[in-house]
Amino acid sequence: MDQRISFITLVVADVAAARRFYVDGLGWREELYVEGDVLMLRVADRVVLSLWSREHAEVEIGPVTTGGTPPVTLAHNVPAPADVDAVLEEARAAGAKVPAAARQRDWGGYTGYFVDPDGFRWEVAYNPSPLGESVLP
């Protein structure tokens, strides 16, 4: 098996609400939208973020637990610290919760988090390392 991820699937309570947040609020372009079922967003050349309704997901994968903070974060890296603050504000305007202001980290970066309508945490990060720079567009 080659080392890659093709789809990242998040189970959501309401696909229409997820669409309002990601497409209408953040301005992301949808690849596929099936009302009440799934929303797919291309997030990289060969990576799709799939937001799948809980009802349809459970038919295929079994019971999904909810409550608390999901044990996963997604990250969006940006080229400068000011961009972190701008993206957090954009997410807030789209309906995300921003639990705290971004801050300088001990490892040299500057990061903050927003929480989407289903409780998934997105890190917005300026990472000045060669690896951090390698994931920028």
Side-chain angles (χ1 to χ4, degrees):
M1 179 175 166
D2 57 326
Q3 183 174 320
R4 66 182 162 82
I5 295 174
S6 304
F7 282 77
I8 298 167
T9 300
L10 304 177
V11 176
V12 300
D14 182 342
V15 175
R19 186 176 185 276
R20 284 191 299 275
F21 178 74
Y22 286 98
V23 176
D24 299 338
L26 295 181
W28 291 17
R29 289 188 323 261
E30 64 189 44
E31 288 284 318
L32 173 71
Y33 177 59
V34 178
E35 189 173 342
D37 186 8
V38 69
L39 169 64
M40 294 188 181
L41 308 157
R42 186 169 306 278
V43 294
D45 287 341
R46 294 185 175 148
V47 181
V48 173
L49 176 63
S50 175
L51 303 166
W52 199 11
S53 77
R54 180 178 180 152
E55 175 186 349
H56 287 94
E58 286 185 332
V59 169
E60 188 167 321
I61 64 176
V64 175
T65 59
T66 59
T69 300
V72 63
T73 61
L74 303 168
H76 177 79
N77 280 35
V78 294
D83 297 328
V84 172
D85 295 324
V87 170
L88 289 175
E89 188 50 43
E90 182 180 3
R92 184 190 323 272
K97 293 180 181 104
V98 179
R103 64 185 182 99
Q104 188 68 38
R105 303 296 175 172
D106 292 340
W107 50 268
Y110 180 74
T111 71
Y113 289 84
F114 70 82
V115 183
D116 82 358
D118 283 281
F120 292 104
R121 291 183 183 268
W122 282 82
E123 176 188 31
V124 182
Y126 163 67
N127 180 339
S129 75
L131 181 60
E133 291 174 1
S134 76
V135 298
L136 294 174

